[in-house]
Amino acid sequence: MAMENYKMGWLFVCFDLPVMEVEQRKRATQFRKLLLDDGFQMLQYSVYVRSCVSFSRQETHIRRIQAILPPDGNVRIFFVTK
């Protein structure tokens, strides 16, 4: 099945960022704020979710997340559809 056939799904961003130093906390907070500004909702403290109506919309948000990735920590992105 081609990816273009997916009509709607949920884009999840799960992350574990270091917050031991002041600068690390600032980067983690900024990352969370930028996710919220991009239309994501907090499901849990380190799990954010956003609906995407098409595969191209998903790719757009993934590119935006890649542009704001902190230099350290782990960030995972996955798309769930029916």
Side-chain angles (χ1 to χ4, degrees):
M1 178 180 278
M3 293 301 284
E4 300 85 32
N5 292 337
Y6 294 119
K7 298 295 183 200
M8 190 274 176
W10 295 93
L11 188 62
F12 284 79
V13 178
C14 305
F15 55 90
D16 184 18
L17 302 176
V19 291
M20 299 301 286
E21 299 174 7
V22 173
E23 190 60 34
Q24 290 174 332
R25 280 193 299 276
K26 286 181 183 179
R27 284 193 296 257
T29 300
Q30 181 182 23
F31 183 70
R32 287 192 302 273
K33 285 182 180 180
L34 289 171
L35 287 175
L36 292 171
D37 289 345
D38 195 31
F40 283 84
Q41 296 178 358
M42 185 172 64
L43 191 59
Q44 292 182 345
Y45 192 66
S46 294
V47 178
Y48 285 70
V49 64
R50 185 188 202 295
S51 64
C52 292
V53 295
S54 68
F55 185 71
S56 62
R57 179 63 74 187
Q58 168 201 353
E59 289 177 325
T60 299
H61 291 290
I62 289 174
R63 279 193 300 274
R64 288 180 186 167
I65 293 166
Q66 289 171 334
I68 62 170
L69 285 175
D72 44 1
N74 290 308
V75 178
R76 302 288 184 249
I77 303 169
F78 57 96
F79 187 65
V80 177
T81 187
K82 182 178 174 183

